Amino acid sequence: MENNYNNINSVYALMDCNQFYVSCERAFNPFLENKPVGVLSNNDGCLVALSPELKAMGITRGMPGFKVKEMLQKQGKYVYLFSSNYELYGDMSSRVMKIARDTAIDIEIYSIDEAFLLLDGIQPFNSYTQYAETLRTKIKKSTGIPVSIGIAKTKTLAKIANKIAKKTKSGVFDLTTLSEDEIHKLLKSVKVEDIWGIGRQHNKRLRKNGIYTAYDFINCNQEWVKKEMSIVGEKTQLELKGIPCSELEKEIPNPKSIVCSRSFGRPVTQYIELAESISLFCTKAIKRLRKKNHVAKTLHIFITTNPFNSGSQYANFTQANLINYSAYTPDFIKLAISLLEKIYKPGYAYKKSGVMITNMIPEDRIYPDLFYSRYGDDNRDKVMKLVDKINKQYDKDIIFFASNGIKKSWSMKREMISSRFTTRWTELPIVKAK
DNA sequence: TCTGGGGTCCTAGGACCC
DNA sequence: TCTGGGGTCCTAGGACCC
């Protein structure tokens, strides 16, 4: 393995916010404490975050919101469901991450609610456990978000330690204090599908071969693992044995693709509505592209009917390249509409559409072309940046493309959304004095 | 009535080049 | 009858993550 440059003495922590979305809702609404609370995906679709009280009712992640309501109503139980409020969650996440960054040696922000921390050499704590407990208290006090922290010699083991930490009262679990025998004993209680990097397919294959626990897995033949699960599986196995194969990724790598897609709030049959949605998703995707200071060349679009319906089905996707790299929204909208004309078929009830941008490079790596001025040399990027600035200032898209539509009656549903307490002046929480 | 969205990495196989 | 071999690049598909 090429892990000779990985420090074998490193110590990693995985910090994970407990039921993050639910915790964000509770942070601004203490009434929800100890009550069954759930947060739904976009379009008020499936449950993506559940409070322990809701889990205790037998509800699981991924269940459709309407089914949950139905089920619990029959049992005479009440549940507090929320639409997802990504603006709030994103802002709460940066607050939590900032505190972690300020105290750890180094940090890799892994997702909206998770971060790996590098801990070896941390001062002035007596133990990693003591550090983690201090961090946990600090985050809870300043943001209201409860976190769990698992500590180990590799990231994969830290993930396992974190799962154990979630079940303890202290919310912290340190694998580095255990002997190898004790770790092995523990790995016998970890199901193979609970290992980071082992999903449904690998789980199935491993079980077929009599491998049920993390302990079984580390005792597999390494060559066999590589053959069956590629180098990714091999690294996972080594990491479980305590050999680090994955370092902290400190720098945010250049993004490779941007996707913007949504299900519609109702079936869409009109071409014009489909075109509006594609145009709007293009606008959103290219805005994100500019925010990352990138330009792109390839655009993909797709449309699909509802696979859960019994009616006639149609789905199609296609892609095309711009002549030149660009971050100029109209370039993409024009191309997108011409692509849609090619794949659109009348007579279907469409459920979802989307766009994807690939072939992305940083803005400053673009070379001038003989025949086309480069993005940035003309006024087009200045216009786009001005539009971005104005829209940001006004907290909403007051300048938009007519092709995005005005009524947008096909938009996704978000009927149970909480306020954006921390990012909009008009939605600040109100504290009443007695 | 109502079933999410946004990403990454690896591999195999084909096209193409010399 | 005999019909190369090696490298690179691209794409599609499959796996995973949150």
Side-chain angles (χ1 to χ4, degrees):
Chain A
M1 293 303 305
E2 73 282 16
N3 54 42
N4 26 12
Y5 55 85
N6 283 353
N7 187 352
I8 196 94
N9 296 314
S10 287
V11 174
Y12 297 96
L14 177 69
M15 177 189 83
D16 183 301
C17 303
N18 301 348
Q19 320 103 37
F20 182 52
Y21 297 173
V22 168
S23 299
C24 289
E25 299 295 343
R26 280 180 171 169
F28 291 92
N29 195 347
F31 168 80
L32 298 172
E33 237 23 88
N34 305 316
K35 305 238 168 30
V37 183
V39 176
L40 299 167
S41 62
N42 268 328
N43 217 25
D44 294 344
C46 309
L47 268 178
V48 289
L50 299 79
S51 75
E53 297 78 9
L54 190 56
K55 282 179 195 160
M57 295 173 167
I59 308 297
T60 54
R61 198 188 135 97
M63 283 172 80
F66 72 93
K67 269 193 187 165
V68 172
K69 257 193 244 168
E70 244 173 49
M71 257 180 70
L72 295 180
Q73 243 159 34
K74 262 184 213 161
Q75 301 171 24
K77 291 173 183 160
Y78 195 80
V79 54
Y80 300 87
L81 291 183
F82 291 87
S83 306
S84 38
N85 186 345
Y86 290 110
E87 199 165 315
L88 175 67
Y89 309 152
D91 185 64
M92 293 300 282
S93 171
S94 25
R95 291 168 192 232
V96 169
M97 297 304 176
K98 182 172 185 311
I99 297 168
R101 187 190 297 281
D102 288 347
T103 62
I105 301 287
D106 228 322
I107 184 170
E108 170 188 343
I109 296 174
Y110 181 69
S111 74
I112 193 166
D113 72 327
E114 269 179 59
F116 288 104
L117 311 176
L118 193 63
L119 298 191
D120 34 312
I122 200 135
Q123 309 274 352
F125 297 94
N126 296 325
S127 66
Y128 299 124
T129 302
Q130 193 199 19
Y131 161 79
E133 282 172 351
T134 310
L135 175 61
R136 199 172 170 268
T137 309
K138 199 168 175 185
I139 290 174
K140 175 77 177 144
K141 198 176 162 197
S142 31
T143 66
I145 304 292
V147 303
S148 304
I149 299 173
I151 300 157
K153 304 219 74 168
T154 68
K155 285 157 88 176
T156 308
L157 284 172
K159 274 270 194 183
I160 287 179
N162 182 276
K163 277 209 174 149
I164 301 167
K166 280 223 154 83
K167 292 178 200 152
T168 66
K169 213 183 155 205
S170 70
V172 173
F173 191 79
D174 183 358
L175 269 176
T176 65
T177 61
L178 302 187
S179 70
E180 196 172 351
D181 277 352
E182 287 170 319
I183 292 179
H184 284 175
K185 199 176 154 200
L186 211 140
L187 291 183
K188 284 180 189 169
S189 69
V190 175
K191 283 189 238 151
V192 80
E193 68 259 39
D194 290 337
I195 300 168
W196 185 41
I198 296 186
R200 285 237 304 275
Q201 301 305 317
H202 287 331
N203 178 38
K204 231 197 260 173
R205 195 168 328 152
L206 289 170
R207 290 193 164 266
K208 216 190 268 175
N209 284 280
I211 298 144
Y212 302 104
T213 69
Y215 183 73
D216 296 340
F217 185 61
I218 62 169
N219 286 307
C220 278
N221 177 285
Q222 191 175 337
E223 284 304 308
W224 182 83
V225 170
K226 188 175 182 183
K227 203 179 114 246
E228 296 288 319
M229 301 167 65
S230 86
I231 191 154
V232 182
E234 192 185 16
K235 282 187 178 177
T236 299
Q237 194 193 29
L238 286 166
E239 286 235 335
L240 285 175
K241 291 181 184 172
I243 302 162
C245 299
S246 163
E247 285 183 291
L248 219 57
E249 285 170 32
K250 289 175 254 179
E251 265 148 59
I252 301 161
N254 283 331
K256 303 207 165 52
S257 65
I258 292 174
V259 175
C260 187
S261 71
R262 292 280 182 285
S263 297
F264 302 127
R266 58 161 169 79
V268 162
T269 51
Q270 304 294 312
Y271 171 79
I272 180 71
E273 294 182 318
L274 219 45
E276 281 177 8
S277 74
I278 290 282
S279 170
L280 177 67
F281 301 157
C282 259
T283 307
K284 285 176 185 282
I286 304 304
K287 186 176 173 184
R288 258 152 58 194
L289 183 69
R290 283 194 296 273
K291 204 172 170 196
K292 293 169 194 277
N293 296 315
H294 272 58
V295 288
K297 208 169 182 177
T298 308
L299 172 75
H300 315 239
I301 73 159
F302 68 88
I303 51 177
T304 172
T305 53
N306 189 348
F308 291 100
N309 278 4
S310 50
S312 48
Q313 301 286 326
Y314 174 68
N316 208 342
F317 63 93
T318 184
Q319 67 180 78
N321 287 320
L322 290 176
I323 296 164
N324 233 8
Y325 285 101
S326 170
Y328 184 60
T329 304
D331 286 346
F332 289 90
I333 294 182
K334 241 186 269 173
L335 184 60
I337 297 303
S338 73
L339 289 176
L340 178 63
E341 280 166 7
K342 278 189 215 159
I343 59 172
Y344 171 74
K345 273 196 193 166
Y348 289 98
Y350 292 94
K351 177 61 183 170
K352 185 176 177 180
S353 74
V355 309
M356 178 162 76
I357 311 296
T358 58
N359 230 327
M360 294 164 48
I361 59 168
E363 203 179 14
D364 52 23
R365 273 207 15 231
I366 192 167
Y367 298 104
D369 185 274
L370 203 52
F371 300 103
Y372 299 89
S373 65
R374 84 176 181 179
Y375 179 80
D377 280 353
D378 56 22
N379 282 326
R380 303 188 314 160
D381 70 320
K382 288 186 195 144
V383 171
M384 293 318 307
K385 285 192 171 144
L386 185 62
V387 168
D388 291 343
K389 200 177 154 190
I390 293 170
N391 285 343
K392 196 179 170 194
Q393 211 167 348
Y394 281 84
D395 257 11
K396 62 177 179 184
D397 291 347
I398 60 162
I399 302 180
F400 60 93
F401 294 92
S403 57
N404 294 359
I406 293 173
K407 245 177 70 193
K408 295 199 267 279
S409 60
W410 42 265
S411 284
M412 67 171 181
K413 284 194 290 191
R414 262 178 142 188
E415 289 169 349
M416 302 165 271
I417 192 149
S418 53
S419 298
R420 293 166 291 190
F421 300 107
T422 58
T423 51
R424 304 279 168 147
W425 288 112
T426 51
E427 299 181 20
L428 281 179
I430 294 164
V431 182
K432 283 182 189 149
K434 279 202 173 171

